[in-house]
Amino acid sequence: MPKAQETVLEIDLKSLEHNYQYLRSKVEPTVKMMAVVKAFAYGSDSVTIAAKLEKAGIDHFAVAYTKEGETLRAGGIEKPVLVLHPQPHNLTLLIDNCLTPSLYSKHILTEFIKTAEALKLKEYPVHININTGLNRLGFGLEEIDQVITLFKNTLAVRLVGIYSHLAASEDLAEKEFTQGQIETFKKASGKILKAFDHKIMRHLCNTSGILNYPEATFDMVRTGIGLYGYGNSAQEDKKLKPVGTLKTIISQIHNIKAEESVGYNRAFIAKRDTTTATLPIGHADGISRIYGKQKTAVLINDKEAPIIGNVCMDMIMVDVTGIECKEGDQVIIFGKERSAEKLANNAGTISYELITSISQRVKRLIID
Ligand SMILES: *Cc1c(COP(=O)(O)O)cnc(C)c1O
């Protein structure tokens, strides 16, 4: 690994390939895999990640918003891209980029049909989202007959996928609830399948769904966090490899006396003579204020250096008392040597939030 000279997010494509093959091995060979590359591929780089996965044989992609799909197409990605959460105002952009909409309400479904008919499209492929208990997006079970009728009454669109999303697939204490979601999905999707003659794909599982409910993989699975190296359990984390490593360096070292303060609002008061290091990374880079005030630490020469005081916009200060280090030395925030999950948990959040927060100001360095 190269030595960082500034704050950098290293993206290791070998680890991505490893995670993809591991998750692939968890489902039957006939089950298709959809890589979720929303939010810059969970804070990394969506086109780079998608291109690598396309080469490795992924079947499908998913993004949250239409613009994210447009970025993939501009980057040369050719496999189908499902837009999980489109809005009525950019349906033409979605169609122009050959993206597949997930239609989740009567409003967006009728708007999409109207747009497709106006453009004289024939059998444009779409998926629908069924709400089985997450109560976020999706058709209610009582709407299914109407949905079937809307599809039967148009030639412009063709229903090619039905899916739902699990609310607590990582939480085995919620097994009964999840099994209820699986049953509801089977029933609702079964009814729709019966109403049409053509092949319609079903998909339900996210990463933890794949790992905890292998009986519910249906025709395709959607995996996000697992591809990036986190499995929502200590056991799975051991099998996966973090793709992103966030590194920075020491800009300056200070020796301060007991009773002196560090940073804004004097949020750290030294109890003893203290050595501090200032690092060029702050909340504008994605390390939010929740990581400050000694709630978490960074790694310097294999030692934990607690983040002291308030996180600034462009800097953090860490306590390096007793740690052998100098200006210019390497600092690891998270990555292979140091789990983003643990760092996030110490601050009261989860790996998903930490890794997707790394802002576009941080340089991405691709390692293949
Ligand atoms: C984000 C998302 C996923 C990916 O979930 P992971 O837990 O990261 O695997 C799958 N499906 C939907 C609908 C999502 O919004």
Side-chain angles (χ1 to χ4, degrees), residues 16-17 30 32-33 47 85 98-99 111 117 120 142 160 167 202 230 250 259 261 270 288 293 303 308 321-322 368:
L16 175 70
E17 170 109 42
T30 52
K32 289 188 178 348
M33 282 186 82
V47 171
H85 198 172
C98 292
L99 307 170
E111 286 296 314
E117 286 177 346
K120 302 209 172 3
E142 72 289 350
V160 300
R202 292 192 287 177
Y230 298 94
I250 297 176
E259 307 302 325
S261 64
S288 100
K293 294 189 173 172
K303 299 260 163 40
I308 54 176
T321 310
D368 200 352

Side-chain angles (χ1 to χ4, degrees), residues 34 36 38 42 62 64 84 129 134 136 163-166 169-170 204-210 222-228 232 352:
M34 177 187 272
V36 182
K38 60 193 179 190
Y42 287 43
L84 296 166
N129 182 354
L134 180 60
R136 189 172 74 172
Y163 79 100
S164 186
H165 196 35
L166 298 172
S169 58
E170 73 287 359
L204 175 66
C205 284
N206 64 340
T207 300
S208 289
I210 296 170
R222 306 184 301 273
T223 174
I225 198 77
L227 288 173
Y228 308 105
N232 293 325
Y352 291 80

Side-chain angles (χ1 to χ4, degrees), residues 256-327:
I256 63 166
K257 295 256 172 298
E259 307 302 325
E260 278 194 73
S261 64
V262 175
Y264 288 133
N265 318 106
R266 307 190 66 213
F268 176 81
I269 308 280
K271 291 203 178 78
R272 44 163 190 175
D273 291 358
T274 299
T275 308
T276 70
T278 302
L279 318 178
I281 185 168
H283 61 71
D285 300 291
I287 302 301
S288 100
R289 284 165 58 102
I290 63 170
Y291 295 95
K293 294 189 173 172
Q294 302 173 81
K295 281 209 196 65
T296 65
V298 302
L299 211 60
I300 299 176
N301 298 330
D302 296 325
K303 299 260 163 40
E304 299 229 329
I307 301 177
I308 54 176
N310 281 320
V311 170
C312 313
M313 191 185 294
D314 318 305
M315 277 166 262
I316 55 179
M317 280 73 88
V318 297
D319 186 344
V320 293
T321 310
I323 299 176
E324 215 172 291
C325 61
K326 59 182 188 308
E327 290 168 3

Side-chain angles (χ1 to χ4, degrees), residues 112-174:
F112 192 82
I113 290 173
K114 232 194 305 176
T115 308
E117 286 177 346
L119 292 169
K120 302 209 172 3
L121 301 181
K122 291 269 173 305
E123 303 192 336
Y124 194 92
V126 308
H127 289 217
I128 56 169
N129 182 354
I130 308 288
N131 177 19
T132 56
L134 180 60
N135 290 326
R136 189 172 74 172
L137 288 179
F139 289 102
L141 303 182
E142 72 289 350
E143 294 177 298
I144 283 176
D145 289 327
Q146 279 173 285
V147 170
I148 292 172
T149 305
L150 283 166
F151 278 105
K152 293 235 179 224
N153 287 339
T154 180
L155 295 170
V157 304
R158 184 184 178 89
L159 180 62
V160 300
I162 310 171
Y163 79 100
S164 186
H165 196 35
L166 298 172
S169 58
E170 73 287 359
D171 185 357
L172 294 177
E174 293 290 358

